[in-house]
Amino acid sequence: MNALDTMRALAQKSEVHTFNSGDIIFKADDPGSSMFGVLEGSVRLSWQNDDGHKGYELIEAGNVFGAGALVMDGHRRLGTAQAEGPCRLIEMNREKFLFAVQEAPMFAIELLASVDSRLRDLKITSVS
């Protein structure tokens, strides 16, 4: 079981969204109050550092992104998320996140593992 499986188990139909290729899911500096899991397709998360360097990450089906919005008050999105092709996403707000952590504590571990894995991949790619 992974973080996306838990999100899927708790989701209502209204929390599953379909995007077409090129659709913007959120933009850098938008306020954030939910995270997303990629059910189908992929999402390009792109950003620009303070020193002007640009970067991106391709988030494939089975992964989650935007979790910072659930753990930081007044969160602003650090990057822009755009559908790389047709995709389906599941959205989880803070209330449902807190419920998931309380009812299924392993969810928090799964989410941390997912974030850690993505960070490792980014570090490896930026070094090579």
Side-chain angles (χ1 to χ4, degrees):
M1 190 135 165
N2 62 30
L4 185 61
D5 292 331
T6 302
M7 289 175 70
R8 188 180 288 128
L10 294 173
Q12 297 175 1
K13 210 172 195 175
S14 64
E15 294 166 325
V16 176
H17 310 287
T18 302
F19 294 91
N20 295 312
S21 182
D23 286 353
I24 301 294
I25 299 150
F26 57 75
K27 291 183 180 178
D29 206 39
D30 282 353
S33 59
S34 58
M35 72 177 213
F36 297 88
V38 183
L39 296 171
E40 296 172 8
S42 59
V43 171
R44 176 183 288 261
L45 189 59
S46 56
W47 59 87
Q48 183 170 327
N49 296 338
D50 292 339
D51 60 6
H53 288 95
K54 295 179 181 182
Y56 77 92
E57 174 185 12
L58 201 57
I59 302 167
E60 304 285 348
N63 291 297
V64 298
F65 65 99
L70 301 177
V71 295
M72 294 186 285
D73 287 335
H75 179 74
R76 309 288 302 178
R77 300 290 186 183
L78 298 176
T80 296
Q82 184 174 21
E84 187 72 1
C87 64
R88 283 183 50 230
L89 306 180
I90 189 167
E91 185 174 10
M92 177 180 265
N93 64 22
R94 184 176 173 85
E95 181 182 345
K96 197 158 277 193
F97 168 75
L98 293 173
F99 176 81
V101 169
Q102 181 178 346
E103 295 300 313
M106 281 305 292
F107 173 68
I109 301 295
E110 295 158 357
L111 186 59
L112 285 171
S114 173
V115 170
D116 183 66
S117 174
R118 286 182 39 222
L119 284 173
R120 285 176 190 269
D121 289 348
L122 281 174
K123 286 178 182 174
I124 289 169
T125 342
S126 66
V127 171
S128 43

